[in-house]
């Protein structure tokens, strides 16, 4: 079914489009998003991947492969360190699929799943940054100054973009 749908081309196009929109949002609103000590990180790529799991229904999409590809591009393009997001994004897809098998996907359960996924993405990137000494931020500072604002921003983006993304997925099917 996936091979015969427009989703075969639409999903990667949307994924790469949101990758660049993430960077554009960070660039245009850098003064507001990266105002010390608080930091907000946009994760629209994770939103697209999570919505891919929520809306795939009986269409088996190769989301883990696309998550690994976009993770490699994300690592090389934005962070310059190869290896953090190439593992985190497929982990998010796997975790989301496991959660969707127990929770029926709708707006509120998607919001909860996205909350969990953003927390995992940010926590694992923080742990990796601490492991290679890219940051000296304490865990409590991370929770207050990075994770909190990042969750607030991304959950607001989920609320705003959930129904338009659902419309796009339905159109691509």
């Amino acid at each position: 079914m996936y091979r015969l749908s427009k989703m075969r081309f639409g999903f990667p196009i949307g994924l790469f489009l949101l990758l660049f929109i993430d960077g554009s949002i960070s660039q245009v609103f850098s003064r507001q998003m990266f105002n010390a000590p608080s930091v907000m990180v946009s994760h629209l790529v994770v939103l697209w991947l999570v919505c891919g799991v929520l809306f795939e229904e009986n269409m088996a999409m190769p989301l883990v492969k696309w998550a690994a590809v976009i993770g490699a591009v994300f690592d090389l393009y934005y962070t310059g360190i190869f290896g953090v997001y190439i593992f985190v994004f497929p982990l998010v897809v796997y975790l989301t699929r496991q959660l969707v098998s127990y929770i029926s996907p709708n707006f509120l359960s998607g919001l909860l799943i996205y909350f969990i996924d953003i927390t995992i993405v940010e926590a694992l990137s923080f742990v990796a940054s601490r492991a290679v000494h890219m940051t000296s931020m304490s865990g409590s500072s991370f929770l207050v100054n990075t994770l909190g604002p990042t969750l607030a921003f991304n959950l607001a983006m989920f609320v705003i973009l959930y129904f338009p993304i659902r419309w796009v997925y339905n159109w691509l099917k």
Side-chain angles (χ1 to χ4, degrees), residues 12 37 42 44-45 48 54 64 71 75 78 91 95 108 113 120-121 125 132 142 159 169:
S42 175
L44 295 178
V45 170
W48 188 258
L54 293 176
V64 174
D75 279 336
Y78 288 124
L91 177 68
L95 179 67
L108 290 177
I113 290 169
I120 288 171
V121 167
S125 66
V132 296
F142 164 74
V159 169
Y169 272 92

Side-chain angles (χ1 to χ4, degrees), residues 47 50-51 54-55 96 99-100 103-119 151-163:
L47 176 62
V50 168
C51 286
L54 293 176
F55 302 141
T96 303
L99 290 171
V100 165
I103 304 170
S104 73
N106 59 36
F107 177 75
L108 290 177
S109 65
L111 189 67
L112 173 67
I113 290 169
Y114 190 58
F115 177 87
I116 293 167
D117 289 338
I118 293 298
T119 303
L151 281 171
F153 176 77
N154 284 291
L155 292 177
M157 294 305 286
F158 182 88
V159 169
I160 293 167
L161 295 175
Y162 177 82
F163 293 106

Side-chain angles (χ1 to χ4, degrees), residues 31-147:
R31 184 171 294 155
Q32 292 83 12
M33 294 180 76
F34 305 112
N35 190 7
S38 295
V39 175
M40 288 186 280
V41 181
S42 175
H43 286 295
L44 295 178
V45 170
V46 177
L47 176 62
W48 188 258
L49 291 170
V50 168
C51 286
V53 175
L54 293 176
F55 302 141
E56 76 179 331
E57 295 170 3
N58 58 0
M59 180 186 299
M61 296 190 299
L63 293 175
V64 174
K65 291 177 186 176
W66 279 115
V69 168
I70 204 68
V73 172
F74 195 93
D75 279 336
L76 294 175
Y77 191 73
Y78 288 124
T79 64
I81 299 172
F82 191 67
V84 176
Y85 291 100
I86 196 170
F87 298 111
V88 171
F89 288 166
L91 177 68
V92 163
V93 170
Y94 173 76
L95 179 67
T96 303
R97 281 189 172 154
Q98 295 304 312
L99 290 171
V100 165
S101 68
Y102 294 108
I103 304 170
S104 73
N106 59 36
F107 177 75
L108 290 177
S109 65
L111 189 67
L112 173 67
I113 290 169
Y114 190 58
F115 177 87
I116 293 167
D117 289 338
I118 293 298
T119 303
I120 288 171
V121 167
E122 281 298 311
L124 289 177
S125 66
F126 172 70
V127 167
S129 294
R130 286 289 303 248
V132 296
H133 304 291
M134 284 184 60
T135 186
S136 60
M137 181 187 296
S138 68
S140 59
S141 292
F142 164 74
L143 290 174
V144 172
N145 296 325
T146 303
L147 185 61

